[in-house]
Each structure stands twice: as structure tokens, then as C-alpha cells.
Amino acid sequence: MTMTIHPAHRRMATLWTLSRNRRLTPEEQTELEQCMQVNAKLCWEMACLENASLLASMTRDTEWQHEICGQIDSFPWQAKKPDP
């Protein structure tokens, strides 16, 4: 399966680059805020999964840890492209 950068991260990078050369329009600024919200949500969700994995490890619950690791492996940091 081919992976690519999450669309919110790609757009956030574009907007940040634009902001280095000029002021963002109000619409672009709103879009940047929305991308940052998506990023924060993804970071929070991953932190929760990592903490749950640590807890599963500390309690030696391997079945639960494998379930959590599966969720981490399929986490949407990257947008999945369909197989050709």
C-alpha cells in the first residue's frame, strides 16, 4: 500500500510557506487554523493510543497491546492511497 502525507498537513505546509512571503488572506488564515485543529486532534489521539499501549505493556496484557498496536499502525497520520 502506498502512503502519502495527510491532506491537512500538506495544506498546513503550503499555507505556512505562503505566510513567509505575504500575509495570509482571512480565508487562508481560517484554513490554517482548521488544519492546526486537525493536527492537534491527531496528536491527541496518538498520545492516547501510546499511553494505552504503555499501560497494556506494564500490565502484561499482550492481547490488548497487540490490538492497540494495530490501531497505531493504521492511524491516519498519512492518507492511504488505494492499491493500483
Side-chain angles (χ1 to χ4, degrees):
M1 180 183 328
T2 304
M3 305 289 263
T4 186
I5 295 173
H6 192 283
H9 293 146
R10 183 181 305 278
R11 184 61 179 154
M12 188 167 35
T14 299
L15 291 167
W16 179 85
T17 302
L18 289 173
S19 76
R20 304 286 291 162
N21 297 314
R22 64 168 173 80
R23 291 185 72 123
L24 295 178
T25 66
E27 294 81 11
E28 290 169 334
Q29 187 62 42
T30 298
E31 194 175 357
L32 179 58
E33 291 291 328
Q34 292 169 343
C35 289
M36 292 170 62
Q37 287 176 343
V38 169
N39 184 61
K41 183 178 183 289
L42 291 171
C43 289
W44 181 256
E45 290 174 0
M46 179 55 82
C48 288
L49 287 172
E50 290 170 341
N51 287 335
S53 178
L54 177 60
L55 182 59
S57 171
M58 293 170 68
T59 60
R60 297 191 173 117
D61 189 335
T62 54
E63 184 177 329
W64 184 33
Q65 188 171 23
H66 286 154
E67 179 184 318
I68 295 165
C69 288
Q71 292 174 7
I72 290 172
D73 288 343
S74 65
F75 196 75
W77 282 114
Q78 301 175 332
K80 296 176 183 176
K81 286 186 176 178
D83 290 329

